[in-house]
Amino acid sequence: MKTILYSEKYIGRLSLSNRLIVSPMQQNQGTPEAFATDYHVNHYSRLAAGAAMVMLESTGVSPNGRLFGNDIGIFTDDHVAPLKKVVEAVHAKKTPIFIQLTHGGRKSWKNGGSRLLAPSPIAYDDEYGIPEEMSLSDIQSEIENFRQAARRSLEAGFDGIEVHAAHGHLVHQFLSPLSNHRADEYGGSPEKRTRFLRDILEAVRLEVGDDYPVMIRVSASDFVEGGLAPVDVAQIAASLEPLLDAVDVSSGGLLPVNPAATPDGYQVPYASIIKQYVSIPIIAVGKIYTRALAEFILSDRLADFIAVGRPLLDNPEYIRSTFFTTETETVGVNSN
């Protein structure tokens, strides 16, 4: 008998055959010039087994925003062709694929003389060092980089875009009062701290149109007093809902601070809070590794989709072998 886990649901105009998504995970296999390789073609093709949708790993929108020296990027037109090969390999398995667009901000890889940028000159830690406070010109340049990345994403054939606003990267740095001490139109009140993300989403929409799926990944808690809390992030998501088709809910990363405990499904309460504030789909992630837990989350309407990550690195068939256990349940699932 089919249950919610195996039911169809839309993200924007895109129909997904079940509620299981491959979460974005860094592979550190890009070239020094940030090009995707045959590794990525093979890796993402294998991950598509049973999933309703695959999320590509964090992809840099500018040279100074890569997270690591072997990250992939989409900051030149030359990056499109290698990424298109990845898209085609996943599409060959009848599976949609989204790209995650990212700028690391103060957590970017130090690349020779590249500038380390952030909303305010506040270090993540001693290793990264103190970043430059972005000028208004810098801010507009990075918004344009996201727009151009969206254009290239369409050219590469991706089925949707996720703007990375989590894990302490640049957009998250603007959202949190702990890392954004600006006194201009991009800092201060929650509305002003949200402006950078809003401007990015509006720029992306100019390129992709209203019907193309666009979502954000958020960190629902900074894990320290004075930082972002789930209700704060829920209100941010609600204010941006007209520009979005889904919200992917994670946590942490702004500071070198870990949660007190990480039991199975530990981030689901954050997802459930944000779900109360928006009508668009919510994606839950974080140690949701069994069918029973996934069904509970979906049936109790705590989230609309389940993202699975780390087990797939050891077993690319994990989604199909763990969540689809009978012939009846796999009917209609991409055969790969």
Side-chain angles (χ1 to χ4, degrees), residues 126-169:
D126 292 339
E127 182 177 353
Y128 281 105
I130 298 175
E132 293 182 45
E133 178 170 310
M134 295 173 70
S135 67
L136 291 178
S137 176
D138 291 330
I139 289 172
Q140 292 306 311
S141 292
E142 295 306 336
I143 292 169
E144 175 65 10
N145 285 337
F146 274 94
R147 185 183 72 81
Q148 293 289 351
R151 173 182 63 80
R152 297 182 185 113
S153 298
L154 282 179
E155 292 176 6
F158 286 97
D159 300 287
I161 288 171
E162 178 173 85
V163 173
H164 201 343
H167 299 166
H169 303 314

Side-chain angles (χ1 to χ4, degrees), residues 5 52 96 132 137 145 163 193 249 253 270 284 317-318:
L5 186 62
E132 293 182 45
S137 176
N145 285 337
V163 173
R193 284 186 276 110
V249 183
Y270 303 146
E317 292 276 340
Y318 187 86

Side-chain angles (χ1 to χ4, degrees), residues 2-11 14-22 47-54 93-96 281 283 294-295 298 304-308 319-320 323-324 329-336:
K2 280 197 171 186
T3 60
I4 296 175
L5 186 62
Y6 317 115
S7 64
E8 177 188 40
K9 192 170 179 64
Y10 283 78
I11 290 181
L14 182 66
S15 173
L16 300 184
S17 60
N18 61 65
R19 305 301 183 89
L20 294 162
I21 292 171
V22 175
L47 290 190
M53 187 255 280
V54 171
K93 302 301 179 72
K94 299 183 174 64
T95 305
I283 302 168
E295 285 285 12
L298 296 171
D304 301 286
F305 290 94
I306 305 297
V308 180
I319 285 180
R320 186 155 59 185
F323 295 95
F324 296 94
E329 290 162 354
T330 56
V331 169
V333 175
N334 44 346
S335 60
N336 302 326

Side-chain angles (χ1 to χ4, degrees), residues 87-232:
V87 171
E88 290 171 345
V90 175
H91 282 174
K93 302 301 179 72
K94 299 183 174 64
T95 305
I97 179 170
F98 279 41
I99 186 171
Q100 186 186 68
L101 301 180
T102 305
H103 190 298
R106 69 181 187 179
K107 292 177 72 175
S108 297
W109 172 60
K110 293 181 179 179
N111 179 19
S114 68
R115 301 166 65 202
L116 190 68
L117 299 175
S120 300
I122 304 169
Y124 172 75
D125 61 14
D126 292 339
E127 182 177 353
Y128 281 105
I130 298 175
E132 293 182 45
E133 178 170 310
M134 295 173 70
S135 67
L136 291 178
S137 176
D138 291 330
I139 289 172
Q140 292 306 311
S141 292
E142 295 306 336
I143 292 169
E144 175 65 10
N145 285 337
F146 274 94
R147 185 183 72 81
Q148 293 289 351
R151 173 182 63 80
R152 297 182 185 113
S153 298
L154 282 179
E155 292 176 6
F158 286 97
D159 300 287
I161 288 171
E162 178 173 85
V163 173
H164 201 343
H167 299 166
H169 303 314
L170 183 61
V171 178
H172 186 182
Q173 292 160 32
F174 270 89
L175 293 174
S176 176
L178 298 177
S179 48
N180 184 348
H181 292 182
R182 302 178 71 93
D184 62 8
E185 59 264 46
Y186 288 96
S189 68
E191 293 77 16
K192 289 182 177 181
R193 284 186 276 110
T194 303
R195 181 174 175 179
F196 183 57
L197 176 54
R198 180 183 295 278
D199 287 355
I200 288 170
L201 293 172
E202 289 177 347
V204 168
R205 282 291 180 203
L206 283 175
E207 285 297 323
V208 304
D210 293 336
D211 294 332
Y212 185 80
V214 175
M215 52 195 274
I216 55 173
R217 187 168 224 196
V218 295
S219 281
S221 175
D222 288 335
F223 300 140
V224 296
E225 186 176 353
L228 292 173
V231 170
D232 301 321

